[in-house]
Amino acid sequence: MSKKVLMVGNVAIAEGAVLAGCQAYFGYPITPQNEILEHLSKRLPELGRVFLQTESELAAISMVIGAGATGVRAMTSTSSPGFSLQQEGISYMAGAQIPGVIVNVMRGGPGLGNIGGAQGDYFQAVKGGGHGDYRIINLAPASVQEMMDLTMLAFELADKYRNPTFILVDGFLGQAMEPVIIRDAVTKFPAKPWAITGAKGRPKNLLDSFEMNPVNYPSRVKKLLDKYEIIRRNEVRFEGLLLEDAEIVVVAYGSASRSAMSAVKLARTDGIKAGLLRPITLFPFPEKALRELSLRIQAFLVAELSGGQMIEDVRLAVGLDCEVDLVNRYAGVPLPAEEILESLRGIALKQRKN
Amino acid sequence: MDKVIYTKPEAMEDRFTHYCPGCGHSTITRLIAEALDTLKIQEKAVCVSSIGCSVSSYYYFKCDGLEAAHGRAPAVATAIKRCRPELYPFTIQGDGDLAAIGTAETVHASARGENIVLFFVNNAIYGMTGGQMAPTTLVGMNSTSTPGGRKTDTAGYPIRVCEMLATLDGPAYITRVSLHNPANVRKAKKAIETAFRVQMAGLGLSLVEILSPCPISWKLEPTNALKFIEETMIKQYPLGDFKVIDGVKALIEGVNPCSPK
Amino acid sequence: MLAEIVISGSGGQGVLVIGRLIAEAGFLEGQEVVWSPSYSAEKRGGTVSCMVTISTEKVGSLMITRPTIGIAMNHAAAIKLEPALKKDGWLLVNQAENGYQPARKDIHFLTVSANQLALELGSESTANIVALGALLSIHPVVSLDGVIKAMAQLFGSKILEMNKQALIKGSKSVKTKDEKI
C-alpha cells in the first residue's frame, strides 16, 4: 500500500526527483527553495547518487548539462534570481537537446525582489528566457502532491523529448505542507544511444548546439521547432472545476489556483455560476480548451501572482470578443480567495446589467 | 620495408581544422591526440569544448564530445566525471573562457579538486572575436579594444592563472608550458600526458597552461609570434610546475606507475 | 468541518511547532490539512505566524485571511489576530503579561497562563503546548490523543514526556471570560 505522509512542498519535489531516478542534483542556495537542496544533500549520497552544492546557478545548470549529457537523470532547483542566471545553460540544453529538470520556486521580483511567493517569472519560463528559438515544457503544480507527481513527470517528458523541462511553482506552495501519497519509484528508463558514455565500439557522440556550416543550421533548428509542435499537440494538461454550466471562468495556476478554487466555490453559494480552468502545463498552454470555452462563455477572470503575464496567453486563446479581467497580487504577496470572489461578484453584476 | 615514423595520431580525426595558419591550437590538438593514443584512452576520453577559438574542438578527436557555454567547461566536465567516473573528461579553454568569464568555474573546480583535466590555451588575446583584450593580455600590448596598448589605470593587470590556482589546496598538478620551439613542444606533450595520467590515477585536478601563438591577432609573422612568446610573454608567464602534489611526483618519477582503470 | 487556524507569536515561542502538531494530528485523523507559514506584511519585526486548515473537503486557498481560530502567544499577536477573526470565531490568548481584553463581542475569548503553567512543569519552553492543550479542551479541532501521537512522531523521547504533561495541564487550565461558554 502506498504511504501517505505530511510533507513540505519543496521536499515533495526533492522526493519526486529521487523516485524518478534522478542520479545527480546540482544547486546553489536561494530562498524559498533551500529545502530541496538540503533534503537532497542527505538523500542522494545515501543512495550512492551525486549531490553537489555549486559555486553559482551558472555552474549548477552547466553541471546539469554535463550530467544529462552522460545519459543520467539530472536536476537543479533555484528561485527567480538564480533562474535568470540559468537561462544561459537552458538555451544550450535546448539547442543540444540535453534532457534535464529545472525547478523554479518563484519569488517576488524584479531584481532581488523579496522572498515571498510570486508568479512573475511566467514570461521568462514560458516564453523563452534565454536566447534563440526554443521552447521548454513548463509544469505548474498546484498542490504538494502535484509537486511530487509533476516532478516525476518532468523527468519522463525531459527524456521523451530530449528537452529541458521546468517545474514552475511559487514560493507559497514550496513552503506549504500537505498530505502526499508517496509514489512508486521509477524502475524503467529509456535507452539513450546519443549519450556521452565513451566512444567504445561505436562512432563518437557529440552533443552541441553549434553549427559551423550556415547552410546546415536552418534544418537543425527546424528539427527543434518541429519537436515543439509535437509537444504542443501531445502534452497539454489542465484541470477544470465546475466548468459545465459556468458563466464566468477563472483561469489560474499554482497557489493562485488554490485561492481561485475557494473563490469559485464561495461564488457558487452566492448564486454566481463560476468555474475554474487550471493550466497544469503552461507550455504547451491549454489554448484549445480556452478557445472552446470562449464559444459559449464571454467572461474570463485571470488570477495570478504577477503584474499580469498569463493573462496575455488567455487573451490570445479566447480572442477579442471575450472580456478578460485580471485579479492579481504581486511582489511576494499571496492572493486571497476573497479578492477573487469580489472580482467575480463585480463581473456577475455587470453581466446582469447587460 | 619502409618504417612509418611520423603519422597522424589515431585519436585524431581526418579532417581540416578551423584554426588559422600558425595558430598554436593545431599543435595542441595534435599533442592531446598523441596523449590519448599513448595512454589508450580515446574510448573513454570526453572533449569538453569551450567558447572562443577552441569552440567545437571536439570535431578533431575520435572521442565523445560535449559543448559547454562560455566559461562553464570545468563545471560540465565536473558533472561528467561525477556521473561517469570511468570517463576521462578534459576541457580545452582559451584565456577569455577560463580566466575571465569562467573564473568562478575554474577556481571552484580547482578548489574541489575535481578529477578532471583543464587545458588552458593562453594566447593573451581574444582570437575568435577579432583580437580584443584578454585577461592575460600583457601591459602595453595592442588589442582591438586597447588602442595604444593595455593601460593598467583603466584595464588593470594580466592574470597569472597557474600562480593563483597553486595557492589552493584542491589541485593536484598545475604547470605552464609553451609552444615557442620544438624542445618546449616536447615538454608540453609531456605535461599533457601527465595531466591525463593524474586523472587516470584519481589524483585530482590538473591544469596545463599552454602559451600559444596567435599570429593573426598579434599581427606578427608566425615565426615572429614564436619569438614574441620567447622574448616577451614568458617574462610575464614563467614556465614550469606550480603545483605537483606528492602522488603526482611519484607518478612523474615512475615510482607508482599508473594503470588505466 | 472546516477549521481555519492562525497561530501567532514571537520567534522562539514554538508557533510553527504547534501549527505542525495540529496539522499532523488532523492528518492522522484522516482530515484534509494544509500547513503554511504566514506571509502577512507583519511577518517582519520578530512576529512568527503560521496557518493551518483542517477540513473534511479538499482545501482550496493556502492562505487564511479570516481565521475561525486564533492562537496568540503574546499580546501583540492578539491585537493583530482579533480583528481578522470570523464572527463567532475563537481567540485564545496567552496571558503571560497583563490581561488582554478583546474589543469584539462577537467572538469567543479564552485565556491561559501558558508560560506560568509551563514553568510549573519545569520549563517555559513548553508554553506553546500548554496553550494548544487549552485550546483543544474547549474547541477540539483535533483530539488530544491525535496531538500526542503527532508529538511522538516529531519529538525526541527526551522531551516527549514533558510535552505530554504540558498538553494535559493546558487542557485542564482554561479560564474563560466568555459568557457564551
Side-chain angles (χ1 to χ4, degrees):
Chain A
M1 208 185 85
S2 302
K3 206 175 143 199
K4 195 174 179 186
V5 295
L6 257 193
M7 201 178 259
V8 171
N10 283 335
V11 175
I13 288 178
E15 277 299 312
V18 169
L19 292 169
C22 175
Q23 287 292 328
Y25 170 91
F26 309 94
Y28 184 86
I30 182 169
T31 309
Q33 64 78 50
N34 294 314
E35 294 82 4
I36 303 176
L37 174 127
E38 288 167 356
H39 188 79
L40 291 176
S41 73
K42 184 166 180 290
R43 225 29 195 112
L44 290 182
E46 272 173 10
L47 296 163
R49 306 185 194 175
V50 176
F51 169 88
L52 205 162
Q53 183 175 326
T54 63
E55 60 270 33
S56 69
E57 288 90 349
L58 287 165
I61 192 70
S62 291
M63 290 185 194
V64 170
I65 291 176
T70 68
V72 305
R73 289 189 161 176
M75 181 173 96
T76 183
S77 63
T78 186
S79 178
S80 308
F83 190 59
S84 288
L85 286 175
Q86 297 193 335
Q87 297 308 315
E88 173 194 73
I90 290 161
S91 173
Y92 276 77
M93 282 175 90
Q97 300 203 73
I98 295 169
V101 174
I102 298 105
V103 177
N104 179 5
V105 184
M106 292 181 280
R107 57 188 249 180
L112 188 56
N114 68 7
I115 58 167
Q119 297 177 328
D121 304 349
Y122 180 91
F123 284 153
Q124 185 187 30
V126 175
K127 303 297 175 187
H131 57 283
D133 260 324
Y134 72 92
R135 303 307 298 251
I136 303 291
I137 302 165
N138 271 263
L139 303 177
S143 66
V144 176
Q145 181 73 61
E146 272 195 351
M147 289 170 92
M148 172 174 286
D149 295 351
L150 294 183
T151 301
M152 295 179 74
L153 177 65
F155 280 97
E156 189 189 317
L157 294 177
D159 278 352
K160 182 176 176 187
Y161 292 103
R162 283 187 61 187
N163 208 64
T165 300
F166 293 165
I167 296 292
L168 195 67
V169 67
D170 54 82
F172 299 123
L173 274 164
Q175 301 293 321
M177 192 183 273
E178 290 186 307
V180 172
I181 297 165
I182 307 289
R183 307 297 184 191
D184 292 335
V186 175
T187 50
K188 277 189 187 149
F189 303 97
K192 296 179 179 174
W194 46 264
I196 302 289
T197 54
K200 189 177 182 182
R202 60 157 169 78
K204 70 178 182 183
N205 283 338
L206 291 186
L207 289 172
D208 66 356
S209 64
F210 180 65
E211 181 56 63
M212 220 179 266
N213 185 343
V215 177
N216 294 343
Y217 193 47
S219 64
R220 191 166 166 158
V221 175
K222 175 75 165 48
K223 270 186 199 155
L224 296 177
L225 300 179
D226 290 347
K227 179 173 81 176
Y228 306 143
E229 278 313 304
I230 295 169
I231 292 170
R232 270 183 211 273
R233 274 204 300 278
N234 296 344
E235 303 301 341
V236 174
R237 286 168 172 81
F238 62 91
E239 186 185 57
L241 173 71
L242 302 170
L243 286 176
E244 295 72 21
D245 62 340
E247 289 167 2
I248 311 169
V249 173
V250 184
V251 186
Y253 71 101
S255 79
S257 74
R258 298 288 296 270
S259 299
M261 178 182 149
S262 294
V264 162
K265 285 183 179 168
L266 289 169
R268 288 272 170 170
T269 61
D270 266 15
I272 299 168
K273 286 186 171 173
L276 170 67
L277 187 136
R278 175 172 76 86
I280 296 172
T281 51
L282 300 174
F283 178 87
F285 194 68
E287 50 204 6
K288 211 174 133 210
L290 279 165
R291 204 185 317 281
E292 277 162 15
L293 284 174
S294 75
L295 299 178
R296 60 178 178 85
I297 298 164
Q298 274 69 55
F300 291 83
L301 176 66
V302 176
E304 56 180 321
L305 304 178
S306 76
Q309 299 191 16
M310 184 178 69
I311 191 171
E312 295 194 1
D313 284 334
V314 175
R315 282 198 174 118
L316 269 176
V318 302
L320 294 173
D321 293 337
C322 296
E323 193 77 27
V324 182
D325 286 322
L326 176 68
V327 55
N328 64 336
R329 284 288 177 90
Y330 39 81
V333 181
L335 177 58
E338 290 80 0
E339 293 226 355
I340 304 173
L341 180 63
E342 272 317 300
S343 295
L344 285 171
R345 282 181 180 143
I347 295 166
L349 199 66
K350 219 160 54 177
Q351 279 181 336
R352 268 171 219 148
K353 276 182 187 162
N354 288 340
Chain B
M1 209 180 90
D2 296 336
K3 195 178 163 208
V4 178
I5 58 162
Y6 190 81
T7 185
K8 184 183 73 61
E10 261 304 304
M12 201 166 150
E13 292 279 13
D14 196 7
R15 63 181 287 175
F16 290 107
T17 71
H18 67 282
Y19 303 123
C20 307
C23 171
H25 266 289
S26 308
T27 314
I28 292 163
T29 302
R30 188 187 164 92
L31 296 180
I32 293 171
E34 283 177 356
L36 299 181
D37 280 1
T38 306
L39 301 167
K40 299 184 173 60
I41 56 170
Q42 170 236 317
E43 289 179 338
K44 289 180 176 178
V46 181
C47 175
V48 180
S49 78
S50 61
I51 309 299
C53 292
S54 48
V55 73
S56 62
S57 46
Y58 43 65
Y59 284 167
Y60 312 125
F61 304 103
K62 285 181 189 162
C63 65
D64 281 359
L66 182 57
E67 163 195 85
H70 203 9
R72 320 287 170 238
V76 171
T78 293
I80 294 171
K81 191 68 185 179
R82 294 274 186 128
C83 292
R84 292 206 187 270
E86 73 277 14
L87 297 179
Y88 299 124
F90 63 95
T91 74
I92 306 177
Q93 302 172 258
D95 35 55
D97 192 275
L98 184 137
I101 197 166
T103 313
E105 285 77 6
T106 305
V107 169
H108 286 273
S110 302
R112 288 191 303 265
E114 297 293 342
N115 196 23
I116 57 176
V117 176
L118 311 181
F119 294 123
F120 170 34
V121 183
N122 182 0
N123 58 14
I125 205 86
Y126 280 69
M128 182 65 100
T129 47
Q132 298 83 5
M133 181 187 72
T136 50
T137 294
L138 306 179
V139 174
M141 189 173 163
N142 273 316
S143 80
T144 59
S145 59
T146 51
R150 181 176 187 164
K151 294 179 189 70
T152 57
D153 56 344
T154 53
Y157 295 88
I159 294 175
R160 293 186 189 91
V161 169
C162 288
E163 288 84 339
M164 186 172 77
L165 294 181
T167 65
L168 298 173
D169 295 329
Y173 177 53
I174 295 182
T175 190
R176 184 183 289 125
V177 294
S178 167
L179 301 178
H180 66 274
N181 61 28
N184 276 284
V185 170
R186 275 194 291 276
K187 280 187 191 162
K189 179 183 171 166
K190 185 89 192 148
I192 287 167
E193 211 179 289
T194 302
F196 278 117
R197 290 172 67 205
V198 169
Q199 183 177 166
M200 291 163 77
L203 293 171
L205 182 132
S206 297
L207 181 137
V208 181
E209 175 174 342
I210 306 159
L211 303 186
S212 177
C214 181
I216 303 289
S217 291
W218 292 355
K219 298 180 171 57
L220 293 173
E221 294 289 324
T223 46
N224 287 340
L226 297 177
K227 210 175 281 174
F228 176 76
I229 295 178
E230 184 169 17
E231 292 171 0
T232 310
M233 241 180 125
I234 286 176
K235 283 186 194 141
Q236 173 71 24
Y237 303 112
L239 305 182
D241 293 340
F242 292 86
K243 181 147 193 210
V244 183
I245 62 166
D246 288 345
V248 177
K249 264 182 212 151
L251 196 78
I252 293 170
E253 288 155 14
V255 179
N256 181 20
C258 91
S259 54
K261 276 177 199 166
Chain C
M1 195 267 282
L2 175 70
E4 294 180 304
I5 307 158
V6 174
I7 307 148
S8 200
S10 334
Q13 281 192 304
V15 163
L16 300 182
V17 174
I18 42 175
R20 177 83 194 270
L21 287 172
I22 296 170
E24 289 280 355
F27 170 67
L28 291 171
E29 287 165 5
Q31 306 277 359
E32 293 289 342
V33 301
V34 178
W35 174 96
S36 195
S38 174
Y39 289 96
S40 61
E42 304 86 52
K43 192 176 156 193
R44 294 285 172 274
T47 302
V48 176
S49 300
C50 69
M51 303 174 279
V52 184
T53 305
I54 310 265
S55 174
T56 43
E57 281 176 49
K58 206 171 161 188
V59 181
S61 177
L62 302 176
M63 187 198 180
I64 298 168
T65 40
R66 304 294 309 277
T68 59
I69 298 170
I71 302 176
M73 289 303 293
N74 60 33
H75 285 196
I79 290 164
K80 280 168 193 161
L81 268 176
E82 191 192 325
L85 277 176
K86 267 204 179 116
K87 186 173 173 289
D88 296 324
W90 297 71
L91 179 64
L92 173 82
V93 177
N94 176 16
Q95 298 285 32
E97 308 150 42
N98 302 324
Y100 178 80
Q101 284 301 328
R104 284 173 67 174
K105 301 290 173 210
D106 62 345
I107 55 168
H108 305 277
F109 178 64
L110 315 168
T111 62
V112 59
S113 298
N115 286 61
Q116 193 197 317
L117 293 172
L119 256 182
E120 289 169 20
L121 287 172
S123 167
E124 254 185 314
S125 67
T126 58
N128 58 338
I129 306 296
V130 172
L132 177 59
L135 173 83
L136 296 182
S137 69
I138 301 295
H139 195 325
V141 281
V142 293
S143 70
L144 288 176
D145 271 357
V147 172
I148 289 170
K149 276 184 198 147
M151 287 197 296
Q153 281 182 12
L154 296 177
F155 295 165
S157 53
K158 265 189 187 168
I159 60 163
L160 180 60
E161 196 45 45
M162 203 210 293
N163 278 290
K164 271 190 202 166
Q165 285 175 26
L167 189 74
I168 307 233
K169 192 162 180 124
S171 73
K172 290 177 179 165
S173 70
V174 179
K175 288 179 211 151
T176 174
K177 293 178 183 171
D178 184 2
E179 288 122 35
K180 291 180 182 173
I181 300 168

